[in-house]
Structure formats: structure tokens, C-alpha cells
Amino acid sequence: MKLTILGGGGFRVPLVYGALLTDRAEGRVTEVVLHDLDAGRLSAVVRVLAEQAAQVPGAPSVSATTDLDEALRGADFVFSAIRVGGLEGRANDERVALAEGVLGQETVGAGGIAYGLRTVPVAVDIARRVARLAPDAWVINFTNPAGLVTEAMSRHLGDRVIGICDSPVGLGRRIARVLGGNPKEAWIDYVGLNHLGWVRGLHIAGRDELPRLLADPDLLGSFEEGKLFGVDWLQSLGAIPNEYLHYYYFNREAVRAYQQAEKTRGAFLRDQQAHFYETVTGPGARALDVWDRTRAEREATYMSENRETAGAGERDADDLSGGYEKVALALMRAIARDERTTLILNVRNRGTLSALDGDAVIEVPCLVDANGAHPVAVAPLPDHATGLVCAVKAVEREVLAAAESGSRATAVKAFALHPLVDSVNVARRLVEGYTEVHPGLAYLK
Ligand code: G6P
Ligand code: MN
């Protein structure tokens, strides 16, 4: 089984490889091909993987290439985890938005739109090549903004592209844990878009235990989302939102915190990662140790500005390993070996949410088997959530239209229609600002 990782020089590749190393079963991935535009980053990651594999008999072979078509040929699975414009691009997404007083997060608000506008054309090119060179491959999309990018690719790959994110899994795990249940045995009633979903129920042994959580302020305040959103607001909502909804429900505070921060998240990661890639290839470096220390620091500081505005304190130790690599591995196993399972994934809606059309990519629990991921039926969202989901999906559609037509006016429309962008003039200035700093947006005319 051959797995091709696009963005193969990326920092989180060792997480995926580490997960593969735990898989001893028949039909596992035996060959990993890393593709990246940057040969230096590829060789850094290859070093980390070599140290990971050192004591593991039968570890998947690893090769690296900067030739995309060569990487894709013969792939059974393609993981796409690219970052168009790099972390410098992410930092610029934040800076330009914050200067206009709006959010520049990589997936939410203006930043997500800018990142989407430069990523979609690249993702579409990849999808077309996969359709031509590896038509039987399954594509697992990690690339953010994951829902939008998955939808762009699905127009060329249909249901053979599946988007993943670890946020809903982490959320379900935390809720199950505070309720004293085994996360593996819980049924999580979750739906929405990527980074825009809500847990409306959590069933353990056939009983919905979420009402018990919502009724207990101590329990409710004891885990990440309780601390972020506050007990009162969760009780008012009657649901537990994905952590990224903090950017909506506490938008002013989040914008202010990011404006005042010494460095935005993107700028922090840009500097941290530059240091990592420099150090890890140095003479005598213990690559795996350097990587692991960098990873721990990255995880400990995740969403720290949001947590600070909420007075949420440090992250729980249990939350520090995201687990997206586990979702990816479970997904591949289910497809490759028909190991039927349920995972929360980004797939086409079909009829799941009646307010959206069938091709809209949503985030929803899916039954996964050798035939792919099938969304399960869920209860409708309340109106306030449907409103947000529809508004954000409409923005995503404008981003897809702008990427296809190259129309600057459509790009302005995408920004202007976003619920977190509060003026058409701001939207116009954002397009000005972003096209000035991003060469990847030169196609907008
Ligand atoms: C979460 C999100 C991902 C994101 C990751 C890392 O897991 O679901 O979409 O890529 O965090 O965030 P960071 O700020 O460290 O890049
Ligand atoms: Mn995510």
C-alpha cells in the first residue's frame, strides 16, 4: 500500500508516520512518498522519520521527491497537507486583517478567506492530477481551510476526497471523559461545517448524557470548551460548540487579544518553525528530540490568546495530543481493509442538512467502509446555527467562484458577506491589502 503525502516536508508529517508505525496488520501502508516544493524541508523531515523508524522492524519505506506527478503515480492514498504561501503567508493573513480590525485566523473570517483564495487553485490542480494519474486513489485532505478545500477538490474527485480535522474528535473525547464514559464507545451527535459545528448530544450505552453535563455547572466548567465559552453561555446554547466558534461568539475579545499579542499565531509558528528546520539538520542534531520539543511547545500554546481572554488557563495535559493522525489512520484502515467504523469527517452533504444543497461539504459523523464515507442522518440544527452555517457556506461558494473566474469583485463579495467582516469597504481594503502581500493572489483581476 502506497501513501503519498503532499506537503511532505511539513512539520506534522512525523505524527502521521508515527501512527503508521503502530499499524502491524496485513494490508498496512508499506511505502510512504513525501512530496514538497522545498527539498530542504523534505530532507529535514526524512531525518526525523528515519529516527522514528530506527527500532521498528517492518517500518514503511520512505522516499522524497519534488516531482508531483511522480509522487502521485501508483498511490493508493494521497494525504494533502500543504500550506500555500507558507507560515509567512499565514502571518500576513493575520496582519492585514487585524489592521482592519477584523479577525485573520487561518480558517475563520477574513484570514480563512485569504488563505482559501490562494489555496483553492493549487488544490484544484492537485485534484485534477490525481484524477488523471491515480484515479483509484483516495485523497485525505488535511489542508486548511479544510471544508472549503475539500469541496473544491470534490468537484474533480467526487466522494474520493474526504476532509479530516481533529477538533470534533477532541471535543467528543473531552465530553465523554468528563461524563465518565469511554470516548470509543460514545456516539457523538455533531454536525456543521469544519471549525463551525456543535455537539448536541453524546450517547453512552444508548442514553444521551449531554443534558446531565449541561445541568452541572462544575462538570461543565471543568474542560476546555467550558472554560473557553463559560458555563452560562453553554447552558443558553444547550449545545457544546467547536472551539473555533469562540472566534464568533467572542469575536471582539479575540480580535483585541490578537491585536495586542506580541506575535500572532502565524508569526509565532513562522519563527518557531524556521528555527526548527535550521536546527534539525545541523551537525549532530538529534532530529526526533528537536522535533518533539517543538511539537510540545506548539501544542501547549494552541489558541492561547482565546484562552487568555476567557481566563481559561493552561491546556489540560490530556488535550495536548491532537490526534488527527489517528483519524487519518482509522480512515485509511476502514477504506483499505473494510474495517467499518464511524468518524466525524468532511464529506458532501447529500441530504444531511436540508438547508444546504447536496454538494456542499459539511462536517458530520460518517460510516466508513471500503466504499468510502457515508454521512449519517442527524437532527436539524437550531436556526441560529443554520444561519451561520448557510452564511459561511455562501462565502465559501464565493471563494470557489472567485478562484475559478479570477474575479476580484467576487473575492470582495466573499469577504463582504462573511459574518465577521462588518463593512463592504473593509472587504474592499482587505482585497487590496491581501493582493499586495500575496503573490499567490495575482490571479485576481
Ligand atoms: C487544530 C485544528 C487544525 C489546525 C491545528 C493546529 O487541530 O483543527 O485545523 O491545523 O489545530 O493549529 P496551529 O495553530 O498549531 O497551526
Ligand atoms: Mn482543523
Side-chain angles (χ1 to χ4, degrees):
M1 193 72 64
K2 169 175 164 177
L3 167 67
T4 294
I5 304 183
L6 308 180
F11 182 76
R12 288 192 284 175
V13 170
L15 289 176
V16 177
Y17 192 66
L20 297 178
L21 290 176
T22 65
D23 188 6
R24 315 300 306 157
E26 191 70 26
R28 67 181 179 274
V29 169
T30 49
E31 188 188 349
V32 174
V33 177
L34 307 179
H35 172 269
D36 206 285
L37 303 177
D38 183 331
R41 285 165 62 99
L42 276 176
S43 57
V45 169
V46 166
R47 261 179 90 153
V48 179
L49 304 195
E51 288 188 24
Q52 283 180 294
Q55 309 302 330
V56 186
S61 70
V62 176
S63 61
T65 175
T66 53
D67 182 324
L68 179 56
D69 291 352
E70 181 192 315
L72 293 176
R73 263 185 218 108
D76 297 291
F77 287 96
V78 177
F79 280 16
S80 180
I82 59 171
R83 187 175 283 285
V84 179
L87 285 164
E88 182 68 43
R90 179 169 172 183
N92 284 332
D93 286 342
E94 296 165 336
R95 193 172 48 75
V96 169
L98 290 172
E100 283 298 333
V102 295
L103 190 73
Q105 208 278 332
E106 65 161 340
T107 61
V108 179
I113 297 172
Y115 189 26
L117 282 169
R118 48 179 208 283
T119 305
V120 165
V122 180
V124 164
D125 175 60
I126 291 169
R128 287 204 174 109
R129 282 172 200 251
V130 172
R132 188 156 41 86
L133 299 170
D136 295 331
W138 290 89
V139 177
I140 301 177
N141 179 57
F142 293 168
T143 302
N144 271 331
L148 166 66
V149 170
T150 301
E151 187 164 322
M153 296 182 92
S154 75
R155 292 181 175 182
H156 303 272
L157 293 166
D159 293 326
R160 292 192 91 85
V161 58
I162 298 168
I164 69 170
C165 176
D166 58 338
S167 283
V169 188
L171 174 55
R173 192 176 55 210
R174 286 189 282 280
I175 299 175
R177 219 191 284 129
V178 290
L179 285 167
N182 178 352
K184 289 203 178 93
E185 288 161 12
W187 175 265
I188 306 157
D189 176 5
Y190 175 95
V191 74
L193 303 183
N194 179 237
H195 292 185
L196 192 82
W198 296 261
V199 172
R200 297 93 49 82
L202 193 131
H203 300 249
I204 301 171
R207 194 195 309 271
D208 184 4
E209 298 284 351
L210 196 66
R212 178 162 70 85
L213 176 61
L214 288 167
D216 184 334
D218 290 336
L219 269 190
L220 201 49
S222 71
F223 68 106
E224 181 74 9
E225 282 71 15
K227 293 178 198 163
L228 255 188
F229 293 102
V231 168
D232 293 347
W233 180 234
L234 294 186
Q235 288 180 329
S236 299
L237 277 176
I240 315 290
N242 183 297
E243 59 198 347
Y244 281 80
L245 274 150
H246 192 260
Y247 291 110
Y248 288 84
Y249 296 143
F250 295 88
N251 185 255
R252 275 186 189 216
E253 291 79 2
V255 170
R256 200 173 313 128
Y258 278 87
Q259 283 172 327
Q260 287 167 0
E262 195 189 323
K263 278 181 192 174
T264 58
R265 181 67 174 164
F268 167 76
L269 290 174
R270 175 198 62 203
D271 298 347
Q272 188 217 37
Q273 303 268 302
H275 180 71
F276 163 75
Y277 283 99
E278 220 168 85
T279 330
V280 79
T281 44
R286 292 168 58 178
L288 188 51
D289 287 349
V290 178
W291 175 79
D292 202 46
R293 259 182 280 125
T294 312
R295 180 196 57 76
E297 186 193 35
R298 181 177 188 165
E299 283 171 6
T301 53
Y302 175 66
M303 286 187 97
S304 58
E305 272 74 22
N306 305 66
R307 272 182 288 112
E308 217 174 292
T309 65
E314 308 267 287
R315 292 185 85 192
D316 280 354
D318 288 339
D319 294 339
L320 291 180
S321 63
Y324 91 135
E325 68 282 6
K326 295 194 189 94
V327 184
L329 182 64
L331 177 57
M332 282 197 299
R333 292 179 66 133
I335 292 176
R337 289 173 242 167
D338 207 15
E339 282 178 17
R340 292 172 186 224
T341 189
T342 311
L343 296 167
I344 297 174
L345 299 167
N346 288 269
V347 296
R348 292 197 285 188
N349 178 41
R350 300 171 192 267
T352 314
L353 288 178
S354 61
L356 297 176
D357 62 69
D359 292 338
V361 165
I362 63 167
E363 193 164 82
V364 62
C366 295
L367 300 176
V368 195
D369 59 21
N371 289 306
H374 321 280
V376 304
V378 294
L381 283 165
D383 287 351
H384 65 84
T386 298
L388 266 185
V389 162
C390 289
V392 171
K393 182 52 76 183
V395 169
E396 291 185 0
R397 293 280 167 81
E398 297 300 336
V399 172
L400 294 174
E404 207 179 318
S405 64
S407 158
R408 208 179 165 92
T410 308
V412 170
K413 194 173 173 193
F415 284 102
L417 291 178
H418 198 286
L420 299 182
V421 175
D422 54 354
S423 160
V424 175
N425 286 326
V426 170
R428 290 185 180 128
R429 289 197 297 271
L430 287 169
V431 171
E432 286 294 310
Y434 281 133
T435 45
E436 258 165 46
V437 296
H438 290 311
L441 292 182
Y443 72 89
L444 289 174
K445 305 276 186 246

